[in-house]
Amino acid sequence: MKRKIETSCVQGGYTPSNGEPRQIPIVQSTTFKYDTSGDMAKLFDLEASGYFYTRLQNPTNDYVAAKITELEGGTAGMLTSSGQAANFYAVFNIANAGDHVVSTSTIYGGTFNLFSVTMRKMGIEFTFIAPNSTKEQIQQAIRPNTKAIFGETIANPALTMFDIEAFAEVAHVNGIPLIVDNTFATPVNCRPIEWGADIVTHSTTKYMDGHGAAVGGAIVDSGKFDWLAHADKFTGLCTPDESYHGITYAERFGKEGAFITKCTAQLMRDFGSIQSPQNAFLLNLGLESLHVRMERHCQNALKMARFLKSDDRISWVVYPSLEGDENYELAKKYCPNGTCGVVSFGVKGGRSNAEEFMKNLKLIAIETHVADARSCCLHPASATHRQMSDDELLAAGVSPDLVRLSCGIENADDLIDDVKQALDKLSF
């Protein structure tokens, strides 16, 4: 029986048997005991399911990954130690030295740096294009060695909407997968796989956890991309892996399981960016209320955006669900029930007034965080995006005066009152 997403948030991923714990158990163990070496060998050969070392897999993590996979409508999933690790694994699982990836330019600053600096050092080249690129412009960015297209459902902090369907169409014409970071929308508000995405990633640190308690990430495979149909492009999935007993992942595990199995057996084995079982347990607690919290986050953000739009001390406001926003139509298409709790805006007077405004806030905290039950704000140009040049900032949709305000689940009027008093202390 297919469950509604609210039910999956609460009960997905884990069903206790008679006499078993009602809550997901925390398996706080690095290792697992077996009776014979033969039993262990079957695990290492991927001929049997089970666990042998928590650096690769852990039962607690797998329960929670199964819930997120159910929420996204995928076939296989895994947890990672952070959203950064999730995006790195998702791309590096199919792109190696000498390969090329197309990404939208308005992605989170940390992801931009991962792609443009660190992974470039590893020999992978990235081309960054505007999120509103036409299909012709997307096609122009693709090369014979392009292995994926990457974008964020709702960009952080530019809040541009990603036209998933258009990018997916071009990706699939070229025989490459579309990877979508769905952190801000969450599967409650958007399920990218339904629009053509092949791989979905998350920083579970944000709305999924929702309480600033546990850093983590997740990857979900749609199970729809036919790797063997493009075997010449994806040799890592379609030829024997000599580092893992000669397994050919796409043949052994099919479309539904090849990507995540390779990601676990190869990348998690070698990089070890596992989420701790304790963090996975906390993440699951957050997931149980995700559908309730997202509704409140979106209500508060829309009310805040309307207030900011009406205040003449604010130079501009970006919020996809705000009437008149340039992303409003795409937001209605992909996120008809709401987008997220984050509003970006500029304070008149530029960077100095933006920084002074934030200093004046009393209820809303300045944090390098977002998408939390508690409201917080950030000046990205001097924080998450400070490594970028002015040109890169503008390409990423981050102006020097931009304030990113993450509306929590408090009373919206209290949040607006805090913004009002902070603006009242400024000189214009």
Side-chain angles (χ1 to χ4, degrees):
M1 181 178 70
K2 188 176 180 181
R3 299 187 281 207
K4 298 291 192 297
I5 200 160
E6 296 87 350
T7 305
S8 294
C9 281
V10 179
Q11 298 209 25
Y14 172 72
T15 303
S17 299
N18 187 44
E20 291 187 340
R22 188 65 190 87
Q23 182 55 274
I24 286 176
I26 304 172
V27 182
Q28 194 66 49
S29 180
T30 60
T31 51
F32 303 82
K33 175 190 173 295
Y34 288 91
D35 292 336
T36 70
S37 295
D39 291 334
M40 184 74 78
K42 290 179 182 178
L43 297 175
F44 275 90
D45 288 343
L46 301 180
E47 292 177 354
S49 60
Y51 303 90
F52 47 85
Y53 197 48
T54 284
R55 190 181 81 230
L56 280 86
Q57 284 180 288
N58 177 281
T60 307
N61 291 22
D62 282 356
Y63 290 137
V64 183
K67 174 178 283 191
I68 295 172
T69 300
E70 182 177 324
L71 290 172
E72 285 289 4
T75 58
M78 64 188 292
L79 298 187
T80 61
S81 59
S82 67
Q84 279 288 83
N87 283 334
F88 171 64
Y89 279 15
V91 174
F92 197 61
N93 203 35
I94 51 178
N96 301 307
D99 289 335
H100 173 256
V101 175
V102 174
S103 172
T104 54
S105 58
T106 54
I107 55 176
Y108 166 61
T111 309
F112 182 90
N113 198 69
L114 170 67
F115 291 169
S116 66
V117 179
T118 302
M119 294 188 75
R120 196 179 294 272
K121 290 178 182 177
M122 300 170 75
I124 303 171
E125 190 172 353
F126 288 79
T127 296
F128 296 95
I129 62 175
N132 61 349
S133 295
T134 63
K135 292 178 184 178
E136 291 74 19
Q137 290 169 327
I138 303 168
Q139 182 61 53
Q140 288 170 5
I142 293 175
R143 305 174 186 174
N145 63 336
T146 302
K147 295 299 177 68
I149 297 178
F150 180 94
E152 293 176 351
T153 309
I154 305 171
N156 174 16
L159 300 182
T160 51
M161 295 293 302
F162 186 53
D163 193 346
I164 303 169
E165 206 168 30
F167 277 82
E169 181 180 323
V170 178
H172 296 157
V173 165
N174 288 274
I176 57 176
L178 176 64
I179 304 172
V180 177
D181 184 328
N182 197 33
T183 296
F184 266 20
T186 81
V188 170
N189 286 339
C190 181
R191 286 159 54 102
I193 290 171
E194 294 178 351
W195 297 100
D198 300 291
I199 308 295
V200 175
T201 64
H202 284 275
S203 170
T204 62
T205 316
K206 309 305 190 298
Y207 287 120
M208 284 188 166
D209 168 73
H211 300 85
V215 173
I219 308 171
V220 174
D221 183 8
S222 70
K224 295 180 179 180
F225 192 86
D226 191 345
W227 305 105
L228 286 171
H230 310 284
D232 58 326
K233 283 181 178 288
F234 304 104
T235 54
L237 283 157
C238 301
T239 59
D241 179 4
E242 298 306 331
S243 76
Y244 217 99
H245 320 295
I247 285 173
T248 300
Y249 297 101
E251 291 180 355
R252 175 77 72 86
F253 301 101
K255 292 188 296 183
E256 295 79 12
F259 186 91
I260 293 297
T261 303
K262 177 180 180 291
C263 209
T264 301
Q266 196 180 85
L267 300 189
M268 192 63 83
R269 174 197 66 194
D270 293 346
F271 290 100
S273 302
I274 193 76
Q275 188 169 146
S276 77
Q278 180 69 51
N279 278 15
F281 176 83
L282 294 171
L283 167 58
N284 186 62
L285 294 180
L287 287 169
E288 289 179 351
S289 64
L290 180 63
H291 58 295
V292 180
R293 289 184 288 105
M294 286 308 296
E295 183 177 2
R296 183 60 172 266
H297 282 297
C298 293
Q299 289 172 351
N300 282 358
L302 182 57
K303 193 168 184 177
M304 177 65 75
R306 286 171 174 162
F307 160 73
L308 292 167
K309 189 75 172 178
S310 69
D311 195 301
D312 60 10
R313 296 167 294 184
I314 301 299
S315 52
W316 56 269
V317 180
V318 173
Y319 184 62
S321 296
L322 181 65
E323 303 84 349
D325 188 277
E326 65 178 7
N327 287 278
Y328 184 68
E329 292 304 319
L330 278 180
K332 282 203 305 182
K333 175 180 178 177
Y334 292 115
C335 302
N337 297 320
T339 48
C340 65
V342 181
V343 182
S344 290
F345 60 94
V347 179
K348 286 184 178 177
R351 180 191 287 256
S352 59
N353 259 10
E355 293 179 339
E356 187 66 24
F357 160 78
M358 295 204 309
K359 192 189 303 182
N360 294 338
L361 293 168
K362 295 180 179 179
L363 181 64
I364 302 167
I366 300 174
E367 299 177 10
T368 311
H369 190 39
V370 70
D372 192 87
R374 292 163 291 266
S375 294
C376 56
C377 69
L378 189 74
H379 182 241
S382 59
T384 54
H385 289 63
R386 68 179 295 111
Q387 78 279 5
M388 292 185 176
S389 66
D390 285 348
D391 288 343
E392 288 173 335
L393 282 171
L394 291 174
V398 181
S399 59
D401 64 339
L402 186 153
V403 174
R404 183 188 71 185
L405 172 58
S406 176
C407 296
I409 57 174
E410 305 95 339
N411 182 280
D413 292 335
D414 288 341
L415 300 179
I416 290 171
D417 286 344
D418 193 30
V419 170
K420 281 180 181 176
Q421 67 83 25
L423 288 170
D424 289 342
K425 295 177 181 176
L426 297 179
S427 299
F428 292 94

